[in-house]
Amino acid sequence: MGKLLIVGTVAFDAIETPFGKTDKILGGAATYIGLAASQFEVDSAIISIVGDDLQQEYLDLLTDRGIDISALEIVKGGKTFFWKGKYHNDLNSRDTLVTELNTLEDFNPVVPENYNDADVVMLGNLHPIVQLGVINQMKKRPKLIILDTMNFWMDNALNDLMEVIKQVDVLTINDEEARQLTGEYSLVKAAQKIFTMGPKYVVIKKGEHGALLFNEDQIFFAPALPLEEVFDPTGAGDTFAGGFSGYLAATNDSSFENMKKAIIHGSNLASFSVEKFGTERMIDLDRKEIRERLHQFKKLTQFDIELQ
Ligand code: AMP
């Protein structure tokens, strides 16, 4: 069993989609990553910070799934990171209406001693300085460091972000962000430019259009499962990252061939996450449903063709 260290937000989200609205519910990159990764045989821990306004029942949801939250700092009298977003009718794009960093503003992450030798570090969306702080505290170089980020940090902390990108093995990013980061419209060219920044692997997420995995001379594409109903896409990218990193930590194999499988597991879990508001679907998910949907994935992409 591998050890997975997760860094990211544990948050309050307020979400509006064409199908409804929620008040402050549990969200955050680390939350989604942790819930997805807990579907694999991994020891995982979350490093994050919240205020004491975050209900105990939310923390219990994480510990109930075996996630170590001893490095989740709870600030007395502090306010938890808050994000509010509104989706457009196509559900592929959204506007961020509010980002309140709150306790995250002066967060100094502390890597717990029992995780400073983690096999895989999953740097979820968070200030790049915090992400760097975690890398610098590792006792030995993890086998794999995966970075997820978003346009918010490109707009607000680009130099720091470039420093982290330099140090990671895998960058996961969505298509628009890959274009913003590199100035390239072609995703193939964008990936090539990202290789010059440091990472050996690039995963470009394309929402309902699937995900692409690149290394220097290979490309793999995984579709997203066509779903009858998408209710709330929030956290799909993080759930994908959680499935991807969780599978890689559990299998302890970071070859390109195994990353292909990790992409499928990530896409599979993300397909559940969007079916209900917030983390709701990830909480009642069981392994039988996951296995069944993996079969659907396989059927979706298998075809016989004569090649001469
Ligand atoms: P995703 O839909 O996968 O891009 O992730 C949505 C999650 O990211 C929400 O649960 C938010 O709490 C969290 N989030 C939104 N903005 C930020 C930000 N600037 N930094 C870190 N996490 C964020």
Side-chain angles (χ1 to χ4, degrees), residues 9 11 13 27-28 32 81 83 94 125 150 152-153 233-238:
T9 41
D13 287 349
Y32 283 103
F81 173 88
W83 175 78
R94 70 182 177 205
N125 189 11
M150 73 185 292
F152 183 83
W153 304 114
T234 309
D238 304 313

Side-chain angles (χ1 to χ4, degrees), residues 41-307:
E41 300 301 314
V42 283
D43 283 326
S44 63
I46 288 180
I47 302 183
S48 194
I49 190 166
V50 293
D52 58 6
D53 52 348
L54 192 87
Q55 296 89 322
Q56 183 63 38
E57 65 185 274
Y58 286 157
L59 299 175
D60 293 344
L61 280 179
L62 300 172
T63 42
D64 286 351
R65 274 152 194 84
I67 304 165
D68 182 341
I69 58 161
S70 51
L72 175 67
E73 196 182 328
I74 302 170
V75 180
K76 271 219 165 91
K79 279 177 78 183
T80 299
F81 173 88
F82 173 58
W83 175 78
K84 185 173 182 178
K86 183 177 175 178
Y87 287 85
H88 301 157
N89 277 343
D90 66 358
L91 286 175
N92 266 333
S93 52
R94 70 182 177 205
D95 294 326
T96 289
L97 304 179
V98 181
T99 301
E100 283 175 15
L101 295 178
N102 298 331
T103 46
L104 209 66
E105 212 137 356
D106 359 68
F107 176 37
N108 284 313
V110 178
V111 175
E113 235 170 67
N114 55 339
Y115 271 86
N116 65 13
D117 60 349
D119 305 290
V120 177
V121 174
M122 179 66 234
L123 301 169
N125 189 11
L126 200 64
H127 198 301
I129 295 265
V130 175
Q131 296 174 321
L132 263 180
V134 168
I135 297 178
N136 291 337
Q137 288 174 58
M138 299 307 287
K139 195 173 70 192
K140 62 176 178 82
R141 215 298 174 173
K143 286 186 194 125
L144 204 65
I145 306 179
I146 306 164
L147 170 69
D148 190 40
T149 189
M150 73 185 292
N151 51 356
F152 183 83
W153 304 114
M154 291 175 205
D155 296 335
N156 295 297
L158 184 62
N159 289 342
D160 299 324
L161 179 61
M162 294 307 285
E163 270 309 302
V164 199
I165 291 178
K166 212 187 273 180
Q167 300 205 31
V168 305
D169 303 294
V170 186
L171 175 66
T172 73
I173 192 169
N174 77 29
D175 43 2
E176 281 317 307
E177 290 155 357
R179 289 180 175 125
Q180 179 174 344
L181 182 67
T182 61
E184 294 288 352
Y185 184 81
S186 149
L187 295 178
V188 177
K189 281 192 183 157
Q192 282 162 355
K193 221 171 195 172
I194 294 169
F195 293 142
T196 66
M197 299 172 183
K200 291 187 284 298
Y201 300 92
V202 178
V203 177
I204 300 185
K205 301 171 283 182
K206 290 157 58 70
E208 66 170 327
H209 304 297
L212 288 157
L213 166 69
F214 297 86
N215 80 352
E216 235 186 328
D217 43 27
Q218 295 173 89
I219 305 180
F220 176 69
F221 170 69
L225 199 73
L227 294 170
E228 221 167 285
E229 275 183 282
V230 174
F231 207 71
D232 169 21
T234 309
D238 304 313
T239 302
F240 173 89
F244 180 73
S245 56
Y247 179 77
L248 290 172
T251 52
N252 206 6
D253 170 0
S254 48
S255 64
F256 189 81
E257 280 311 303
N258 204 45
M259 276 195 197
K260 288 177 27 181
K261 293 185 199 162
I263 295 260
I264 299 289
H265 281 286
S267 303
N268 191 38
L269 289 171
S271 79
F272 288 104
S273 177
V274 301
E275 288 181 339
K276 287 190 180 169
F277 261 123
T279 53
E280 215 181 314
R281 186 67 175 101
M282 296 311 288
I283 283 157
D284 65 21
L285 190 59
D286 67 50
R287 293 196 181 180
K288 186 167 166 271
E289 293 176 281
I290 296 175
R291 236 190 351 267
E292 281 168 8
R293 204 170 271 191
L294 272 178
H295 283 290
Q296 274 179 265
F297 251 100
K298 211 170 165 188
K299 276 219 257 157
L300 181 71
T301 47
Q302 259 181 355
F303 52 87
D304 273 324
I305 193 165
E306 296 268 330
L307 293 173

